Amino acid sequence: MLDPISMAAITAVLGAVGSGMASEAGKWAWETAGGLVRRMAGREVVAPARPEDREAVARIIHDSVHGDPELARTWSSFARSVQTTGVTVGRGPGCPPPYASSPTATRR
């Protein structure tokens, strides 16, 4: 298993969260990820729509968790929960687009 605070693992978790909106677990993960990113960045962050956007958000997370052991533990716990809740299930018909259910997310 990848180190949960490596760039590759963070990017993979963000991808899994973005593609898992069809389930309640996916919605929870999306909203939780948005809150964690906002906390780490200290501001609102635009929901990643493209791979390069996802990498930019992953960089925010990576830099934050490597500078704060508490955030590293929080992210690691979240990343493990994403892997165990089956969030990687794809989006289904009628499912809202990513971040749509999060009142704190900013759409492009």
Side-chain angles (χ1 to χ4, degrees):
M1 182 176 155
L2 289 173
D3 174 6
I5 60 173
S6 70
M7 276 294 289
I10 292 168
T11 303
V13 167
L14 292 174
V17 168
S19 68
M21 287 291 294
S23 68
E24 284 302 311
K27 291 173 188 173
W28 166 85
W30 194 250
E31 291 173 2
T32 302
L36 286 171
V37 171
R38 186 176 56 257
R39 178 176 159 199
M40 292 177 188
R43 60 180 170 75
E44 292 294 321
V45 175
V46 175
R50 303 173 309 201
E52 55 269 22
D53 299 333
R54 195 166 35 253
E55 288 178 24
V57 172
R59 175 61 56 196
I60 291 169
I61 296 166
H62 182 266
D63 292 348
S64 295
V65 299
H66 282 276
D68 184 329
E70 170 98 17
L71 287 176
R73 283 189 295 277
T74 301
W75 178 261
S76 295
S77 177
F78 170 71
R80 281 191 300 276
S81 72
V82 167
Q83 294 169 352
T84 60
T85 57
V87 171
T88 56
V89 175
R91 290 178 48 204
C95 184
Y99 274 78
S101 65
S102 175
T104 60
T106 304
R107 300 264 320 175
R108 286 187 186 200

